[in-house]
Amino acid sequence: MQIKTISQKLKGKPTMTEGTAYSILMICGISHFLNDMIQSIIPSIYPILKDQFDFSFAQIGIITLVFQMTSSILQPFTGLYADRHPRPYALSVGMCFTLAGLLALAFANHYLTILIAVSIVGFGSSVFHPTASRVTQMASGGKKSLAQSIFQVGGNGGSALGPLLAAIIILPYGQHSISWFALAALLAALIMVRLGAWYKARMQYVVKHPQRKPALNNHISKRAKYGALAILVLLVFSKYFYTSCITSYFTFFLIDKFGVSIKASQLFLFVFLAAFAIGTVAGGVLGDRFGRKYVIWFSILGAAPFALAMPFVGLTMTIVCCFLSGLIIASAFSSIVVYATDLMPDKVGMIAGVFFGLMFGLGGLGSAFFGWLADKTSVEFIFQVSAFLPLMGIVAGLLPNTQKAEK
Protein backbone atom coordinates (compact mmCIF):
# COMPACT_ATOMS: atom_id res chain seq x y z
CA MET A 1 0.00 0.00 0.00
CA GLN A 2 2.85 2.36 0.89
CA ILE A 3 4.64 1.54 -2.38
CA LYS A 4 1.49 2.44 -4.31
CA THR A 5 1.24 5.77 -2.46
CA ILE A 6 4.88 6.62 -3.24
CA SER A 7 4.30 5.69 -6.89
CA GLN A 8 1.24 7.96 -7.07
CA LYS A 9 3.21 10.87 -5.58
CA LEU A 10 6.00 10.39 -8.09
CA LYS A 11 3.59 10.34 -11.01
CA GLY A 12 1.62 13.34 -9.77
CA LYS A 13 -1.46 14.50 -11.67
CA PRO A 14 -0.37 15.30 -15.22
CA THR A 15 -2.22 18.19 -16.85
CA MET A 16 -2.59 18.54 -20.60
CA THR A 17 -2.25 21.85 -22.40
CA GLU A 18 -2.25 22.69 -26.09
CA GLY A 19 0.72 25.05 -25.76
CA THR A 20 4.34 24.38 -24.95
CA ALA A 21 4.73 22.34 -21.74
CA TYR A 22 7.82 24.09 -20.40
CA SER A 23 7.80 22.16 -17.11
CA ILE A 24 8.01 18.88 -19.02
CA LEU A 25 10.75 20.26 -21.26
CA MET A 26 12.74 21.25 -18.17
CA ILE A 27 12.34 17.72 -16.77
CA CYS A 28 13.50 16.34 -20.14
CA GLY A 29 16.54 18.64 -20.00
CA ILE A 30 17.39 17.65 -16.41
CA SER A 31 16.98 13.96 -17.26
CA HIS A 32 19.28 14.41 -20.28
CA PHE A 33 21.78 16.22 -18.05
CA LEU A 34 21.90 13.31 -15.57
CA ASN A 35 21.99 10.64 -18.29
CA ASP A 36 24.85 12.20 -20.26
CA MET A 37 26.75 13.09 -17.09
CA ILE A 38 26.77 9.41 -16.17
CA GLN A 39 27.71 8.35 -19.71
CA SER A 40 30.64 10.76 -19.83
CA ILE A 41 32.37 9.32 -16.78
CA ILE A 42 33.09 6.04 -18.62
CA PRO A 43 36.01 7.38 -20.74
CA SER A 44 37.19 9.41 -17.73
CA ILE A 45 37.97 6.27 -15.72
CA TYR A 46 40.14 4.60 -18.37
CA PRO A 47 43.42 5.63 -16.66
CA ILE A 48 42.24 4.00 -13.43
CA LEU A 49 41.25 0.77 -15.19
CA LYS A 50 44.47 0.67 -17.20
CA ASP A 51 46.68 1.10 -14.14
CA GLN A 52 44.67 -1.16 -11.85
CA PHE A 53 44.31 -4.10 -14.26
CA ASP A 54 47.36 -3.47 -16.46
CA PHE A 55 45.22 -3.28 -19.58
CA SER A 56 46.75 -2.64 -22.98
CA PHE A 57 45.57 0.23 -25.16
CA ALA A 58 43.91 -2.37 -27.39
CA GLN A 59 41.85 -3.63 -24.43
CA ILE A 60 40.86 -0.04 -23.60
CA GLY A 61 39.85 0.37 -27.24
CA ILE A 62 37.61 -2.69 -27.02
CA ILE A 63 35.91 -1.24 -23.92
CA THR A 64 35.21 1.91 -25.95
CA LEU A 65 33.95 -0.17 -28.88
CA VAL A 66 31.53 -2.16 -26.70
CA PHE A 67 30.30 1.01 -25.00
CA GLN A 68 29.81 2.82 -28.34
CA MET A 69 28.11 -0.22 -29.90
CA THR A 70 25.46 -0.36 -27.19
CA SER A 71 25.04 3.37 -26.60
CA SER A 72 25.14 4.52 -30.24
CA ILE A 73 24.42 1.76 -32.73
CA LEU A 74 21.44 0.36 -30.78
CA GLN A 75 19.67 3.73 -30.67
CA PRO A 76 17.93 3.52 -34.08
CA PHE A 77 16.56 0.09 -33.17
CA THR A 78 15.30 1.11 -29.73
CA GLY A 79 13.85 4.22 -31.39
CA LEU A 80 12.03 2.13 -34.00
CA TYR A 81 10.58 -0.03 -31.23
CA ALA A 82 9.49 3.10 -29.34
CA ASP A 83 7.68 4.34 -32.46
CA ARG A 84 5.79 1.09 -32.92
CA HIS A 85 5.25 0.18 -29.28
CA PRO A 86 5.32 3.31 -27.05
CA ARG A 87 6.19 2.46 -23.46
CA PRO A 88 5.76 5.53 -21.21
CA TYR A 89 7.93 4.18 -18.41
CA ALA A 90 10.71 2.90 -20.68
CA LEU A 91 12.75 5.96 -19.65
CA SER A 92 12.82 4.88 -16.01
CA VAL A 93 13.50 1.26 -16.95
CA GLY A 94 16.40 2.35 -19.16
CA MET A 95 17.89 4.38 -16.32
CA CYS A 96 17.60 1.34 -14.05
CA PHE A 97 19.84 -0.49 -16.54
CA THR A 98 22.31 2.38 -16.27
CA LEU A 99 22.18 2.18 -12.47
CA ALA A 100 22.84 -1.59 -12.56
CA GLY A 101 25.71 -1.09 -15.01
CA LEU A 102 27.34 1.54 -12.78
CA LEU A 103 27.21 -0.70 -9.73
CA ALA A 104 28.61 -3.60 -11.75
CA LEU A 105 31.43 -1.39 -13.06
CA ALA A 106 32.24 -0.11 -9.56
CA PHE A 107 32.97 -3.63 -8.30
CA ALA A 108 34.09 -5.39 -11.50
CA ASN A 109 37.35 -7.31 -11.03
CA HIS A 110 37.66 -8.97 -14.43
CA TYR A 111 37.90 -7.70 -18.01
CA LEU A 112 34.77 -9.53 -19.16
CA THR A 113 32.80 -8.14 -16.21
CA ILE A 114 33.89 -4.60 -17.16
CA LEU A 115 32.76 -5.16 -20.75
CA ILE A 116 29.35 -6.40 -19.56
CA ALA A 117 29.03 -3.45 -17.16
CA VAL A 118 29.76 -0.75 -19.78
CA SER A 119 27.42 -2.46 -22.26
CA ILE A 120 24.60 -2.28 -19.70
CA VAL A 121 25.29 1.43 -19.11
CA GLY A 122 25.34 1.99 -22.87
CA PHE A 123 22.08 0.13 -23.34
CA GLY A 124 20.42 2.41 -20.79
CA SER A 125 21.48 5.41 -22.89
CA SER A 126 20.22 3.83 -26.11
CA VAL A 127 16.76 3.46 -24.54
CA PHE A 128 16.76 7.01 -23.18
CA HIS A 129 17.53 9.25 -26.16
CA PRO A 130 14.91 8.14 -28.73
CA THR A 131 12.02 8.00 -26.25
CA ALA A 132 13.00 11.26 -24.55
CA SER A 133 13.13 12.94 -27.98
CA ARG A 134 9.57 11.75 -28.65
CA VAL A 135 8.40 13.23 -25.35
CA THR A 136 10.27 16.46 -26.09
CA GLN A 137 8.47 16.91 -29.40
CA MET A 138 5.11 16.07 -27.83
CA ALA A 139 5.69 18.78 -25.20
CA SER A 140 6.93 21.36 -27.73
CA GLY A 141 3.55 22.87 -28.57
CA GLY A 142 4.87 23.43 -32.09
CA LYS A 143 8.15 25.03 -30.96
CA LYS A 144 10.08 21.93 -31.90
CA SER A 145 13.52 23.44 -32.36
CA LEU A 146 13.33 25.31 -29.07
CA ALA A 147 12.15 22.16 -27.28
CA GLN A 148 14.94 20.08 -28.83
CA SER A 149 17.54 22.69 -27.90
CA ILE A 150 16.38 22.72 -24.25
CA PHE A 151 16.69 18.95 -24.26
CA GLN A 152 20.07 19.08 -25.98
CA VAL A 153 21.65 21.73 -23.77
CA GLY A 154 20.90 19.52 -20.76
CA GLY A 155 22.93 16.76 -22.38
CA ASN A 156 25.76 19.15 -23.24
CA GLY A 157 25.94 20.30 -19.63
CA GLY A 158 26.01 16.75 -18.32
CA SER A 159 28.75 15.74 -20.77
CA ALA A 160 30.86 18.71 -19.65
CA LEU A 161 30.34 18.11 -15.91
CA GLY A 162 30.86 14.33 -15.93
CA PRO A 163 34.65 14.32 -16.43
CA LEU A 164 35.03 17.08 -13.83
CA LEU A 165 33.12 15.03 -11.24
CA ALA A 166 35.12 11.96 -12.21
CA ALA A 167 38.32 13.89 -11.52
CA ILE A 168 37.01 15.06 -8.13
CA ILE A 169 35.38 11.83 -6.95
CA ILE A 170 36.71 8.81 -8.84
CA LEU A 171 40.37 9.59 -9.51
CA PRO A 172 41.23 10.22 -5.81
CA TYR A 173 39.13 7.38 -4.36
CA GLY A 174 39.36 4.68 -6.99
CA GLN A 175 37.07 2.34 -8.87
CA HIS A 176 34.60 1.62 -6.05
CA SER A 177 33.68 5.32 -5.85
CA ILE A 178 31.88 4.92 -9.20
CA SER A 179 29.01 3.57 -7.11
CA TRP A 180 28.32 7.12 -5.87
CA PHE A 181 27.10 7.98 -9.35
CA ALA A 182 24.40 5.35 -8.90
CA LEU A 183 22.65 7.99 -6.75
CA ALA A 184 22.43 10.24 -9.82
CA ALA A 185 21.00 7.31 -11.81
CA LEU A 186 18.44 6.66 -9.07
CA LEU A 187 17.44 10.34 -9.02
CA ALA A 188 17.07 10.31 -12.81
CA ALA A 189 14.94 7.15 -12.70
CA LEU A 190 12.59 8.79 -10.17
CA ILE A 191 12.35 11.98 -12.22
CA MET A 192 11.55 9.93 -15.29
CA VAL A 193 8.58 8.32 -13.53
CA ARG A 194 6.96 11.78 -13.63
CA LEU A 195 7.98 12.10 -17.28
CA GLY A 196 6.48 8.70 -18.07
CA ALA A 197 3.22 9.62 -16.34
CA TRP A 198 2.92 12.75 -18.51
CA TYR A 199 3.78 10.75 -21.65
CA LYS A 200 1.07 8.19 -20.83
CA ALA A 201 -1.50 10.89 -20.10
CA ARG A 202 -0.58 12.71 -23.31
CA MET A 203 -1.12 9.60 -25.41
CA GLN A 204 -4.50 9.04 -23.76
CA TYR A 205 -5.40 12.71 -24.34
CA VAL A 206 -4.58 12.43 -28.06
CA VAL A 207 -6.79 9.35 -28.35
CA LYS A 208 -9.72 11.11 -26.64
CA HIS A 209 -9.20 14.44 -28.43
CA PRO A 210 -8.15 13.54 -31.97
CA GLN A 211 -7.12 16.46 -34.13
CA ARG A 212 -6.88 16.45 -37.88
CA LYS A 213 -3.52 17.74 -38.92
CA PRO A 214 -2.28 18.19 -42.46
CA ALA A 215 0.34 15.68 -43.55
CA LEU A 216 3.80 17.13 -43.08
CA ASN A 217 5.82 17.73 -46.22
CA ASN A 218 3.63 15.71 -48.57
CA HIS A 219 5.04 17.90 -51.38
CA ILE A 220 8.43 16.23 -50.94
CA SER A 221 8.96 12.94 -52.76
CA LYS A 222 10.21 9.87 -50.92
CA ARG A 223 13.43 9.97 -52.95
CA ALA A 224 14.00 13.63 -52.05
CA LYS A 225 13.45 12.84 -48.36
CA TYR A 226 16.10 10.12 -48.40
CA GLY A 227 18.42 12.49 -50.26
CA ALA A 228 17.83 15.13 -47.59
CA LEU A 229 18.60 12.61 -44.84
CA ALA A 230 21.89 11.76 -46.59
CA ILE A 231 22.78 15.47 -46.66
CA LEU A 232 21.99 15.74 -42.93
CA VAL A 233 24.27 12.79 -42.19
CA LEU A 234 27.06 14.56 -44.10
CA LEU A 235 26.45 17.74 -42.09
CA VAL A 236 26.50 15.84 -38.79
CA PHE A 237 29.80 14.30 -39.91
CA SER A 238 31.34 17.73 -40.60
CA LYS A 239 29.98 19.22 -37.36
CA TYR A 240 31.07 16.46 -34.98
CA PHE A 241 34.41 15.70 -36.60
CA TYR A 242 35.25 19.40 -36.26
CA THR A 243 34.00 19.75 -32.68
CA SER A 244 35.76 16.54 -31.63
CA CYS A 245 39.05 18.10 -32.77
CA ILE A 246 38.35 21.18 -30.61
CA THR A 247 37.17 19.37 -27.49
CA SER A 248 39.94 16.75 -27.56
CA TYR A 249 42.97 18.74 -28.71
CA PHE A 250 42.38 22.48 -28.21
CA THR A 251 44.26 22.49 -24.90
CA PHE A 252 47.28 20.81 -26.55
CA PHE A 253 47.10 23.30 -29.44
CA LEU A 254 47.20 26.28 -27.06
CA ILE A 255 50.03 24.81 -24.97
CA ASP A 256 52.15 23.92 -28.03
CA LYS A 257 51.59 27.14 -29.99
CA PHE A 258 51.33 29.79 -27.28
CA GLY A 259 52.98 28.15 -24.26
CA VAL A 260 49.98 28.73 -21.96
CA SER A 261 49.63 26.75 -18.73
CA ILE A 262 47.47 23.65 -18.47
CA LYS A 263 45.05 25.51 -16.21
CA ALA A 264 44.75 28.41 -18.66
CA SER A 265 44.21 26.02 -21.57
CA GLN A 266 41.36 24.33 -19.70
CA LEU A 267 39.74 27.71 -19.01
CA PHE A 268 39.96 28.56 -22.71
CA LEU A 269 38.38 25.21 -23.57
CA PHE A 270 35.54 26.12 -21.21
CA VAL A 271 35.00 29.24 -23.36
CA PHE A 272 34.26 26.95 -26.31
CA LEU A 273 31.98 24.70 -24.23
CA ALA A 274 30.07 27.72 -22.87
CA ALA A 275 29.65 29.09 -26.39
CA PHE A 276 28.43 25.66 -27.48
CA ALA A 277 25.73 25.65 -24.79
CA ILE A 278 24.58 29.18 -25.68
CA GLY A 279 24.51 28.35 -29.38
CA THR A 280 22.44 25.23 -28.79
CA VAL A 281 19.60 27.23 -27.20
CA ALA A 282 19.89 30.10 -29.69
CA GLY A 283 19.68 27.68 -32.60
CA GLY A 284 16.39 26.31 -31.31
CA VAL A 285 14.81 29.76 -31.04
CA LEU A 286 16.05 30.83 -34.48
CA GLY A 287 15.01 27.54 -36.09
CA ASP A 288 11.38 28.02 -35.07
CA ARG A 289 11.47 31.67 -36.11
CA PHE A 290 13.28 31.65 -39.45
CA GLY A 291 13.11 28.05 -40.64
CA ARG A 292 15.29 25.08 -39.73
CA LYS A 293 16.92 24.73 -43.17
CA TYR A 294 18.39 28.23 -42.96
CA VAL A 295 19.64 27.76 -39.41
CA ILE A 296 21.36 24.50 -40.43
CA TRP A 297 22.91 26.20 -43.46
CA PHE A 298 24.15 29.21 -41.52
CA SER A 299 25.27 27.17 -38.52
CA ILE A 300 27.67 24.86 -40.34
CA LEU A 301 28.87 27.18 -43.12
CA GLY A 302 28.86 30.28 -40.90
CA ALA A 303 31.49 28.75 -38.60
CA ALA A 304 33.92 28.26 -41.51
CA PRO A 305 35.54 31.76 -41.56
CA PHE A 306 36.39 31.57 -37.85
CA ALA A 307 37.56 27.96 -38.08
CA LEU A 308 39.81 28.77 -41.04
CA ALA A 309 41.31 31.82 -39.32
CA MET A 310 41.92 30.21 -35.92
CA PRO A 311 45.20 28.33 -36.71
CA PHE A 312 46.84 31.50 -38.06
CA VAL A 313 46.02 34.26 -35.55
CA GLY A 314 47.36 35.30 -32.13
CA LEU A 315 46.17 34.01 -28.76
CA THR A 316 43.43 36.61 -28.18
CA MET A 317 41.94 36.19 -31.65
CA THR A 318 42.26 32.41 -31.34
CA ILE A 319 39.98 32.50 -28.30
CA VAL A 320 37.58 34.88 -30.09
CA CYS A 321 37.47 32.62 -33.15
CA CYS A 322 37.00 29.56 -30.92
CA PHE A 323 34.08 31.21 -29.12
CA LEU A 324 32.37 32.33 -32.32
CA SER A 325 32.87 29.04 -34.16
CA GLY A 326 31.46 27.13 -31.16
CA LEU A 327 28.54 29.55 -30.79
CA ILE A 328 27.58 29.27 -34.46
CA ILE A 329 28.17 25.59 -35.16
CA ALA A 330 26.36 24.49 -31.98
CA SER A 331 23.09 25.94 -33.24
CA ALA A 332 22.71 23.23 -35.89
CA PHE A 333 22.02 19.98 -34.05
CA SER A 334 18.56 20.64 -32.62
CA SER A 335 17.42 21.96 -36.02
CA ILE A 336 18.95 18.93 -37.77
CA VAL A 337 17.08 16.48 -35.51
CA VAL A 338 13.76 18.31 -35.85
CA TYR A 339 14.22 18.75 -39.62
CA ALA A 340 14.86 15.01 -39.97
CA THR A 341 11.83 14.06 -37.86
CA ASP A 342 9.70 16.47 -39.91
CA LEU A 343 10.71 14.48 -42.97
CA MET A 344 9.58 11.25 -41.28
CA PRO A 345 6.95 12.34 -38.70
CA ASP A 346 5.80 8.76 -38.12
CA LYS A 347 9.32 7.62 -37.17
CA VAL A 348 10.38 10.24 -34.61
CA GLY A 349 12.03 7.75 -32.23
CA MET A 350 13.97 5.94 -34.94
CA ILE A 351 15.20 9.14 -36.63
CA ALA A 352 16.19 10.69 -33.30
CA GLY A 353 18.02 7.47 -32.45
CA VAL A 354 19.91 7.55 -35.75
CA PHE A 355 21.13 11.12 -35.28
CA PHE A 356 21.97 10.80 -31.59
CA GLY A 357 23.83 7.60 -32.45
CA LEU A 358 25.72 9.43 -35.20
CA MET A 359 26.53 12.27 -32.81
CA PHE A 360 28.19 9.93 -30.31
CA GLY A 361 29.75 7.61 -32.86
CA LEU A 362 31.21 10.28 -35.15
CA GLY A 363 32.50 12.27 -32.19
CA GLY A 364 34.43 9.20 -31.02
CA LEU A 365 35.75 8.39 -34.50
CA GLY A 366 36.76 12.02 -35.05
CA SER A 367 38.73 12.12 -31.82
CA ALA A 368 40.54 8.87 -32.70
CA PHE A 369 41.26 10.02 -36.27
CA PHE A 370 42.67 13.40 -35.28
CA GLY A 371 44.71 11.78 -32.51
CA TRP A 372 46.26 9.43 -35.07
CA LEU A 373 46.87 12.31 -37.48
CA ALA A 374 48.43 14.44 -34.73
CA ASP A 375 50.88 11.63 -33.94
CA LYS A 376 51.84 11.47 -37.63
CA THR A 377 52.07 15.26 -38.10
CA SER A 378 51.38 17.85 -35.38
CA VAL A 379 48.54 19.28 -33.31
CA GLU A 380 48.72 22.54 -35.26
CA PHE A 381 48.36 20.63 -38.54
CA ILE A 382 45.14 18.89 -37.48
CA PHE A 383 43.59 22.28 -36.69
CA GLN A 384 44.53 23.49 -40.15
CA VAL A 385 42.93 20.38 -41.71
CA SER A 386 39.79 20.30 -39.56
CA ALA A 387 39.13 23.99 -40.32
CA PHE A 388 37.90 22.99 -43.79
CA LEU A 389 35.15 20.73 -42.43
CA PRO A 390 32.56 23.50 -41.82
CA LEU A 391 32.79 24.38 -45.55
CA MET A 392 30.77 21.21 -46.15
CA GLY A 393 27.82 23.21 -44.80
CA ILE A 394 27.33 24.57 -48.33
CA VAL A 395 25.41 21.39 -49.22
CA ALA A 396 22.64 22.44 -46.79
CA GLY A 397 21.46 24.70 -49.60
CA LEU A 398 20.25 21.54 -51.37
CA LEU A 399 17.82 20.69 -48.56
CA PRO A 400 14.12 21.07 -49.47
CA ASN A 401 12.02 23.45 -47.40
CA THR A 402 10.03 21.54 -44.77
CA GLN A 403 8.41 24.48 -42.98
CA LYS A 404 7.57 28.09 -43.32
CA ALA A 405 9.14 30.55 -40.96
CA GLU A 406 6.95 30.96 -37.92
CA LYS A 407 5.76 34.47 -37.21
Side-chain angles (χ1 to χ4, degrees):
M1 187 70 171
Q2 179 136 2
I3 294 175
K4 186 176 180 180
T5 303
I6 294 172
S7 175
Q8 288 173 340
K9 287 182 178 179
L10 286 173
K11 293 176 182 178
K13 295 181 180 180
T15 57
M16 297 296 106
T17 61
E18 293 299 326
T20 305
Y22 286 103
S23 61
I24 297 301
L25 292 179
M26 291 303 297
I27 293 175
C28 287
I30 293 169
S31 300
H32 199 189
F33 174 89
L34 292 170
N35 179 82
D36 283 22
M37 181 192 74
I38 292 167
Q39 300 296 313
S40 67
I41 71 165
I42 302 296
S44 303
I45 63 171
Y46 288 166
I48 291 177
L49 297 179
K50 190 176 187 304
D51 290 343
Q52 184 169 334
F53 297 100
D54 197 26
F55 289 155
S56 67
F57 283 111
Q59 286 176 305
I60 294 294
I62 291 173
I63 294 173
T64 301
L65 177 64
V66 170
F67 181 58
Q68 291 286 0
M69 286 284 289
T70 52
S71 65
S72 301
I73 296 177
L74 280 180
Q75 286 200 40
F77 302 101
T78 57
L80 181 61
Y81 182 85
D83 289 331
R84 294 179 177 177
H85 310 283
R87 295 288 185 268
Y89 297 105
L91 291 166
S92 286
V93 173
M95 188 51 63
C96 288
F97 275 97
T98 299
L99 191 155
L102 283 174
L103 291 175
L105 183 60
F107 298 98
N109 55 11
H110 189 271
Y111 186 62
L112 180 59
T113 313
I114 292 171
L115 292 179
I116 293 172
V118 298
S119 69
I120 294 172
V121 175
F123 178 73
S125 182
S126 73
V127 171
F128 171 79
H129 284 103
T131 301
S133 291
R134 282 178 59 87
V135 177
T136 298
Q137 291 211 9
M138 293 174 76
S140 69
K143 298 178 180 179
K144 292 183 179 180
S145 290
L146 174 62
Q148 189 68 40
S149 67
I150 291 172
F151 175 68
Q152 189 60 30
V153 81
N156 290 346
S159 295
L161 184 62
L164 178 62
L165 292 179
I168 295 172
I169 298 173
I170 300 175
L171 293 181
Y173 300 106
Q175 181 188 357
H176 293 338
S177 63
I178 296 172
S179 59
W180 285 104
F181 285 87
L183 295 175
L186 179 61
L187 174 62
L190 295 176
I191 290 173
M192 290 176 194
V193 171
R194 177 65 65 92
L195 211 56
W198 185 88
Y199 185 16
K200 181 179 180 180
R202 182 66 189 177
M203 290 192 298
Q204 293 172 344
Y205 179 85
V206 170
V207 171
K208 294 178 181 177
H209 303 83
Q211 293 180 342
R212 293 190 62 185
K213 294 183 179 179
L216 274 177
N217 306 312
N218 52 10
H219 63 287
I220 303 175
S221 68
K222 192 171 184 179
R223 182 176 180 181
K225 288 183 178 182
Y226 284 118
L229 288 174
I231 291 172
L232 293 178
V233 169
L234 184 63
L235 293 173
V236 170
F237 162 79
S238 67
K239 171 181 166 63
Y240 281 100
F241 255 60
Y242 176 70
T243 55
S244 71
C245 182
I246 299 288
T247 55
S248 298
Y249 304 107
F250 189 55
T251 53
F252 297 103
F253 173 75
L254 293 174
I255 292 168
D256 286 354
K257 186 174 181 179
F258 300 109
V260 303
S261 67
I262 294 175
K263 183 178 180 180
S265 71
Q266 291 171 335
L267 290 174
F268 292 142
L269 177 59
F270 176 76
V271 170
F272 176 80
L273 296 175
F276 209 83
I278 296 168
T280 299
V281 176
V285 175
L286 295 174
D288 289 328
R289 179 68 179 84
F290 297 106
R292 289 178 260 283
K293 169 184 173 178
Y294 302 107
V295 169
I296 294 168
W297 198 355
F298 170 75
S299 175
I300 306 293
L301 189 59
F306 305 104
L308 288 166
M310 189 161 54
F312 304 102
V313 295
L315 177 60
T316 301
M317 285 306 300
T318 295
I319 304 309
V320 171
C321 288
C322 176
F323 178 85
L324 291 174
S325 63
L327 182 72
I328 295 170
I329 206 168
S331 61
F333 188 71
S334 58
S335 290
I336 287 174
V337 172
V338 175
Y339 182 100
T341 55
D342 280 349
L343 290 173
M344 305 270 184
D346 57 332
K347 296 182 174 66
V348 172
M350 185 191 77
I351 294 297
V354 167
F355 282 92
F356 274 104
L358 283 171
M359 179 183 74
F360 293 124
L362 289 173
L365 287 173
S367 180
F369 169 76
F370 285 118
W372 169 82
L373 188 60
D375 285 337
K376 297 292 183 181
T377 56
S378 68
V379 172
E380 189 168 348
F381 179 76
I382 66 172
F383 273 79
Q384 294 171 0
V385 171
S386 66
F388 289 93
L389 287 169
L391 289 175
M392 296 172 69
I394 196 169
V395 301
L398 301 175
L399 292 170
N401 287 318
T402 61
Q403 63 171 148
K404 294 180 180 179
E406 295 178 21
K407 305 296 183 184

